[in-house]
Amino acid sequence: MRYLPLTPADRAEMLGVIGAASVDDLFVDVPAEARLSGPIEGLPAHASEMAVERHMSALAAKNLSAGTAPFFIGAGAYRHHVPASVDHLIQRGEFLTAYTPYQPEIAQGTLQVLFEFQTQVARLFGTDIANASMYDGSTACWEAILMASRVTRKTRAVLSSGLHPHYAEVVRTMAKFTEDDIVSLKPELVAEADDAAVIAQIDDKTSCVVVQYPDVMGRIPDLAAIADAAHAKGALLVVVVTEPVALGMIEAPGALGADIVVGEGQSIGVGLQFGGPYLGLFGCREKFVRQMPGRLCGQTVDAEGKRGFVLTLSTREQHIRREKATSNICTNSGLCALAFSIHLTLLGGEGLAQLAAVNHDKAQTLIERLAKVPGVTVLNEAYFNEATIVLTRDAREVVRDLADRKVLGGVSLGRLFPENSDLHKGLLVTATETVTDEDIEVFARELEGVLA
């Protein structure tokens, strides 16, 4: 039986109702050259379930996965240990199958989870408030720029060269539809973040400056200085955090003058998951709350004086007239937000600080060991759990050679910035609590062999 169990008579009756002679008539708007005239070349017509499983397993075995090799990849997605209790709890039916909490009288559990999540994100970011999550970090970054334009009534955004290039590309893509003026600074292989260059670009037409913290090369910018310069010109400071575990050690952006803080929550509770689904985080000053995209859950009391939760703000196109919506790509990632919240709850404030300390210690051990490898120069003077090293040849080739030796040795800057040949010898390496001293020694030994 096919997926739609219709008889030829059923299909003929349906076609007759809509006035089509055959099923092919339904596809007349598709150009003939784009239609299949037969089976897909090279694809078997059919196979048994067991044969397909064997075939797919054989294909998967060709991959070098994070759990089977020394792993030093970061650059916006991080491998951390996620306690088994996180997955156990989010798979409870009440959470796994819950939908948008439109009706508070039957969605108190979901609303409370989102309220607690907002509290955690606001405290982590050092902002007055946070929303109920966003689609992911890159779209949250764009939403922050849009929000800054609404607040300042200006349309010029300055992107630090340390902003992850994938985030910057999302911004430039979306700006084509709003005609915002996006100024992207060119990255360089230098030890310090581009604070001075960012400040030099701020003028009276600037709506916001966007700075990653730590940045894509692992450097830590001076947010307070940039915030002062932005505010002097009536612009907002937008800070992007791709590794929230870092905030267990370095100061929260909101405490340093950031007006809007966004980021990717993947590294707390969510896991790598082949690139998604991930979790966008968004916090800001309370005075900007009505310009904030997405949903905001609030706490109240019911008619009997009992604590309760409601959707306080939801300025998205699902809820209000499209032309009045602050965004139409701000879906909240509820289940991932729950995973984030459970993991952060299990850690607590002290646990997060301890986890951050372990990450930094591992990164220090890694960098100190790699610095001893002939042909390696360490770029960073300060870093959290990832830093950039400079090699004697193109890092893209080195990464491939290391993979052949069963080591996942970081992310080449040539891959992130293919158009900038000045960066092609740079390699971004990351060490989290999942890295062992043995992993570090294997990496250093194999890297020395590759560079010899």
Side-chain angles (χ1 to χ4, degrees):
M1 182 182 292
R2 293 177 60 84
Y3 179 69
L4 293 177
L6 302 174
T7 66
D10 293 332
R11 296 190 183 93
E13 182 179 356
M14 293 166 69
L15 289 168
V17 169
I18 63 175
S22 69
V23 171
D24 291 338
D25 288 352
L26 304 179
F27 300 93
V28 292
D29 293 327
V30 179
E33 62 272 17
R35 301 181 217 162
L36 282 175
S37 57
I40 300 174
E41 186 177 350
L43 187 69
H46 60 83
S48 70
E49 184 176 337
M50 288 188 294
V52 171
E53 287 176 352
R54 283 195 297 268
H55 179 68
M56 299 304 290
S57 296
L59 291 177
K62 295 181 178 181
N63 291 327
L64 186 60
S65 63
T68 59
F71 185 86
F72 300 91
I73 296 175
Y78 302 90
R79 184 180 181 228
H80 290 286
H81 171 69
V82 179
S85 50
V86 173
D87 190 57
H88 173 75
L89 289 172
I90 68 172
Q91 300 233 17
R92 287 182 62 96
E94 306 96 307
F95 292 131
L96 190 63
T97 62
Y99 189 56
T100 302
Y102 293 118
Q103 296 172 278
E105 65 273 17
I106 60 171
Q108 282 298 292
T110 299
L111 287 164
Q112 181 172 355
V113 163
L114 293 175
F115 180 83
E116 304 295 356
F117 166 81
Q118 291 169 179
T119 304
Q120 290 174 317
V121 173
R123 291 183 64 181
L124 190 66
F125 280 173
T127 55
D128 298 329
I129 54 172
N131 71 12
S133 82
M134 305 287 284
Y135 187 67
D136 63 10
S138 63
T139 50
C141 177
W142 166 245
E143 292 292 347
I145 293 172
L146 268 186
M147 177 175 162
S149 294
R150 293 193 296 271
V151 170
T152 64
R153 300 186 184 277
K154 303 174 185 178
T155 57
R156 182 177 183 269
V158 178
L159 308 186
S160 163
S161 66
L163 178 64
H164 196 297
H166 297 170
Y167 285 50
E169 189 62 28
V170 168
V171 168
R172 287 190 290 268
T173 297
M174 297 303 296
K176 294 177 183 177
F177 303 99
T178 62
E179 298 183 352
D180 279 44
D181 179 19
I182 307 299
V183 179
S184 299
L185 301 187
K186 184 179 179 181
E188 298 179 83
L189 274 180
V190 293
E192 297 292 336
D194 64 345
D195 303 351
V198 169
I199 290 171
Q201 285 290 334
I202 303 171
D203 61 20
D204 292 330
K205 297 180 180 178
T206 303
S207 65
C208 65
V209 291
V210 183
V211 180
Q212 186 170 317
Y213 176 74
D215 76 10
V216 74
M217 295 187 196
R219 303 166 304 192
I220 302 176
D222 184 352
L223 296 185
I226 299 172
D228 289 344
H231 296 157
K233 294 290 187 179
L236 304 186
L237 172 58
V238 174
V239 174
V240 175
V241 179
T242 62
E243 171 53 301
V245 173
L247 300 180
M249 176 169 282
I250 61 178
E251 195 161 3
L256 296 172
D259 300 287
I260 305 172
V261 186
V262 298
E264 176 54 66
Q266 169 274 324
S267 69
I268 298 180
V270 178
L272 290 170
Q273 300 184 166
F274 303 96
Y278 282 175
L279 168 67
L281 309 177
F282 198 111
C284 68
R285 297 187 186 278
E286 187 174 3
K287 64 182 178 179
F288 302 141
V289 64
R290 290 195 174 275
Q291 294 299 331
M292 184 174 65
R295 297 188 179 107
L296 184 69
C297 293
Q299 178 179 286
T300 185
V301 292
D302 64 14
E304 299 177 354
K306 295 179 181 178
R307 184 189 192 204
F309 302 91
V310 293
L311 271 181
T312 304
L313 289 175
S314 46
T315 54
R316 18 186 289 156
E317 83 294 342
Q318 281 186 320
H319 302 282
I320 63 176
R321 294 198 308 278
R322 183 176 296 272
E323 67 274 12
K324 296 289 186 180
T326 54
S327 169
N328 63 0
I329 58 166
C330 59
T331 186
N332 68 289
S333 302
L335 201 63
C336 292
L338 174 63
F340 176 100
S341 194
I342 293 171
H343 191 183
L344 198 53
T345 300
L346 291 170
L347 286 169
E350 291 185 9
L352 179 64
Q354 291 171 4
L355 177 61
V358 171
N359 272 248
H360 185 56
D361 288 346
K362 290 289 186 182
Q364 281 187 300
T365 302
L366 172 66
I367 296 305
E368 289 169 4
R369 179 63 183 90
L370 294 183
K372 298 176 182 178
V373 175
V376 171
T377 303
V378 177
L379 182 71
N380 300 58
E381 296 176 357
Y383 52 86
F384 171 60
N385 67 357
E386 61 186 336
T388 300
I389 59 175
V390 183
L391 310 177
T392 52
R393 63 188 182 95
D394 194 313
R396 288 173 292 188
E397 299 171 1
V398 173
V399 167
R400 286 192 289 268
D401 290 344
L402 286 170
D404 291 339
R405 295 172 178 238
K406 307 301 181 185
V407 175
L408 293 166
V411 178
S412 62
L413 296 186
R415 178 178 181 179
L416 293 177
F417 302 95
E419 73 290 344
N420 191 340
S421 60
D422 293 340
L423 305 183
H424 288 184
K425 293 181 180 179
L427 179 65
L428 185 66
V429 294
T430 306
T432 70
E433 74 282 2
T434 63
V435 168
T436 66
D437 291 344
E438 182 183 2
D439 291 338
I440 292 172
E441 190 57 39
V442 170
F443 183 16
R445 186 174 63 245
E446 297 299 343
L447 180 60
E448 186 169 350
V450 167
L451 294 177

